[in-house]
Amino acid sequence: MWCGDSPNPRDPAVYHALERDSAARAGDAGRYWTWAAEPCAGRPARPANRYRGPWDRATAHPVLVVGTTYDPSTPYSDARAMARELVNARLLTHDGYGHTALFNNSSSCVNSYESRDFVDGALPPPGTTCRPDTLPFASPRPHAGTAAGAFRSG
């Protein structure tokens, strides 16, 4: 599935130039994703009926676009742009961190709206924002020392 998701070059030598371009746009994340796709160069299969657009046509069902505000791989601005470009789409904002709202920074709010969309085709109200269930860098609780209430008397 990975190799069928995008038009990956068949010539492995091309990936060096792609790495430079990707690094200029996205730093080390660009480098990583360029080389992650390089094994696809040797895959002969291509999707038989891959959709290439146009993207501004009505779909049979509305499209739910979930955008995470602090996603290092897929910028929130791109989610907003995609929701605008698709004719029948709704943007659900996940005000969180990490790549995707599904695994890295889960939100029962996002999961609920995704489930309703898959089961009933029901979209969230326009402008809906969900928050993660837990913060990614919660303050650790002290286990010992003065921060835990211990003290030394001299």
Side-chain angles (χ1 to χ4, degrees), residues 16-32:
H16 292 285
L18 290 175
E19 176 191 12
R20 283 190 300 276
D21 292 345
S22 294
R25 288 191 326 266
D28 288 337
R31 286 187 175 91
Y32 173 83

Side-chain angles (χ1 to χ4, degrees), residues 91-136:
L91 176 63
L92 173 60
T93 299
H94 176 240
D95 189 18
Y97 301 85
H99 181 53
T100 78
L102 184 58
F103 297 116
N104 294 317
N105 198 5
S106 67
S107 166
S108 54
C109 174
V110 171
N111 293 344
S112 176
Y113 282 118
E114 287 175 335
S115 294
R116 283 185 237 159
D117 177 45
F118 284 129
V119 174
D120 302 322
L123 295 176
T128 299
T129 296
C130 292
R131 300 213 180 328
D133 293 336
T134 59
L135 295 175

Side-chain angles (χ1 to χ4, degrees), residues 58-84:
T59 56
H61 302 282
V63 176
L64 177 61
V65 177
V66 180
T68 300
T69 53
Y70 300 103
D71 185 327
S73 298
T74 52
Y76 180 69
S77 59
D78 289 354
R80 281 195 325 249
M82 178 187 285
R84 278 193 308 267

Side-chain angles (χ1 to χ4, degrees), residues 14-63:
V14 171
Y15 285 83
H16 292 285
L18 290 175
E19 176 191 12
R20 283 190 300 276
D21 292 345
S22 294
R25 288 191 326 266
D28 288 337
R31 286 187 175 91
Y32 173 83
W33 288 111
T34 296
W35 288 109
E38 189 274 337
C40 298
R43 303 269 175 121
R46 295 286 187 240
N49 58 354
R50 186 174 140 232
Y51 188 74
R52 299 174 190 275
W55 300 103
D56 60 350
R57 299 292 192 264
T59 56
H61 302 282
V63 176

